[in-house]
Amino acid sequence: MAVRPILRWPDRRLRTTAADVAAVNDEVRAIWDDMIDTMEAMPGVGLAAPQIGIALRLAVVATPPARGGAVRLADPEILHASVKLREHDEASPCLPGVSALIERPRAVTVRYLDESGAVTERDFVGIEATSVQHQIDHLAGRMYFDRLSKVKRDMLLRRARKVD
């Protein structure tokens, strides 16, 4: 297990759609372990494999300790999203020092392959729902600021350049 370096925006790999996972095996489990170590070192509430330069549809989402620490997801897809929205101040270690209020569905049902390779469906609510949606965006080559208007996105990216 190791903390991996995070890619920084505008690295073009962050805009690449990640490949499907052929099978959950020991290599995938080792990547998840590194992702959890990296997420906890940030600290953060989720991480997608493309953020550490791995172009696979893998993500981890932090959960409260009572629920087991972190959910490991391969090939996640949103099956259902609530109509009710939730606003949250989102950020990314790929673009440090800036954040933006993003509105996303408050709850989502996600289908994914779990640690054993079994197809699993799980409901995520609140911050977990925000995080899993944020990670799924990364897997599709999207960043949270893509959800902003052009004016707000341009302002955020200008602020980020000043922080750098």
Side-chain angles (χ1 to χ4, degrees):
M1 299 189 310
V3 173
R4 303 262 191 119
I6 301 284
L7 298 182
R8 298 287 296 269
W9 176 259
D11 190 304
R12 63 181 161 77
R13 292 173 287 179
L14 294 169
R15 288 299 196 188
T16 303
T17 301
D20 289 342
V21 176
V24 174
N25 54 29
D26 288 342
E27 181 182 352
V28 166
R29 288 183 196 93
I31 293 168
W32 272 327
D33 289 343
D34 287 355
M35 290 172 65
I36 291 169
D37 287 348
T38 304
M39 174 184 68
E40 290 174 350
M42 293 183 318
V45 295
L47 190 71
Q51 293 178 275
I52 59 171
I54 298 171
L56 288 173
R57 292 183 46 76
L58 297 172
V60 294
V61 173
T63 58
R67 292 178 65 190
V71 179
R72 299 159 190 245
L73 306 98
D75 296 338
E77 64 175 312
I78 296 172
L79 300 177
H80 173 75
S82 67
V83 174
K84 186 172 183 178
L85 301 177
R86 176 181 185 274
E87 196 172 63
H88 185 75
D89 195 29
E90 292 189 34
S92 175
C94 299
L95 191 66
V98 295
S99 63
L101 283 174
I102 305 294
E103 203 170 53
R104 296 184 187 264
R106 186 188 73 78
V108 291
T109 301
V110 178
R111 178 187 300 140
Y112 59 95
L113 299 177
D114 67 13
E115 293 176 66
S116 69
V119 175
T120 303
E121 288 183 18
R122 179 173 173 159
D123 294 327
F124 293 86
V125 180
I127 186 66
E128 292 176 9
T130 298
S131 180
V132 77
Q133 292 172 81
H134 182 110
Q135 307 322 317
I136 290 172
D137 277 356
H138 274 300
L139 300 177
R142 292 190 303 260
M143 299 284 289
Y144 72 93
F145 54 77
D146 293 331
R147 295 184 172 275
L148 298 172
S149 69
K150 181 176 177 1
V151 170
K152 287 183 179 181
R153 183 175 52 248
D154 289 348
M155 285 174 34
L156 179 102
L157 293 174
R158 272 196 301 279
R159 278 196 331 263
R161 282 194 277 287
K162 290 178 184 176
V163 171
D164 224 2

